[in-house]
Amino acid sequence: MASKVIQAIYNDDDVLMMAVKRVKEAHHHIEEVYTPFPVHGLDKAMGLAPTRIAITSFMYGCVGITVAVLMMDFIMIEDWPQNIGGKPSFSFIENMPAFIPIMFELTVFFAAHLMVITFYMRSKLWPFKKAENPDVRTTDDHFLMEVSLHDNEDELTRLLVDTGAVEVKVSEKH
């Protein structure tokens, strides 16, 4: 089911920020904002919920350190104990100072790689996906704000033009 949205194009990020604030004050729903670079404070101005990605990063780091500890305990203590430099190989605790760099590296490795996979899955990005960008100028130097349209096209068009939009158009969103 397609719904109508009004797209306002801006050529300055400060003008866009003020426009987002004015549109939110007028109680209109902003569907999406497309920008060529990250705009600081835009998520807060749009009223988006804070991200929980730091929690997943911590959990992935915990998985990484668990894998590191289990792997080193099995390889260096149980399966193939070796006398390296006169260090005893009777227990994991006695050898833990030597294992700290490996634990750190695997924690970072798991957190980083699983975060990238999580980001792509959450963003619904995958190879050969068709771009959802409604206007190619937003990849270069323009900013686009999509606002839901509910039988208030004239009022919303006037509001967006007053906020400094250089172009306003109505389109179908699929």
Side-chain angles (χ1 to χ4, degrees), residues 15-165:
V15 175
L16 172 74
M17 282 294 289
M18 295 307 294
V20 166
K21 290 174 184 174
R22 283 191 53 196
V23 168
K24 290 303 277 185
E25 285 171 2
H27 304 291
H28 295 290
H29 177 67
I30 299 174
E31 290 284 331
E32 188 66 70
V33 176
Y34 298 91
T35 63
F37 54 82
V39 178
H40 180 71
L42 185 60
D43 53 343
K44 194 175 210 175
M46 288 178 62
L48 298 177
T51 180
R52 296 182 306 260
I53 205 147
I55 297 168
T56 60
S57 179
F58 176 75
M59 291 189 311
Y60 295 152
C62 290
V63 169
I65 199 163
T66 303
V67 168
V69 167
L70 293 174
M71 178 189 74
M72 288 181 301
D73 183 57
F74 177 74
I75 292 171
M76 297 298 288
I77 305 302
E78 296 175 23
D79 185 44
W80 195 265
Q82 298 177 17
N83 186 354
I84 300 172
K87 294 180 183 174
S89 58
F90 301 122
S91 71
F92 181 79
I93 297 297
E94 290 176 338
N95 290 318
M96 188 155 47
F99 296 155
I100 287 176
I102 299 167
M103 291 189 294
F104 172 76
E105 291 297 331
L106 280 178
T107 301
V108 171
F109 179 84
F110 271 71
H113 286 78
L114 292 175
M115 284 301 299
V116 168
I117 292 168
T118 301
F119 172 75
Y120 285 140
M121 288 172 51
R122 273 303 275 150
S123 302
K124 296 180 180 126
L125 293 174
W126 50 83
F128 312 111
K129 182 178 187 241
K130 186 180 179 298
E132 296 176 3
N133 194 355
D135 194 318
V136 295
R137 294 177 291 178
T138 60
T139 62
D140 187 24
D141 62 349
H142 282 73
F143 305 85
L144 186 137
M145 177 172 40
E146 283 186 347
V147 183
S148 298
L149 203 53
H150 303 289
D151 299 328
N152 56 352
E153 183 177 337
D154 294 332
E155 170 200 346
L156 200 50
T157 301
R158 270 184 268 124
L159 173 66
L160 293 172
V161 169
D162 288 345
T163 61

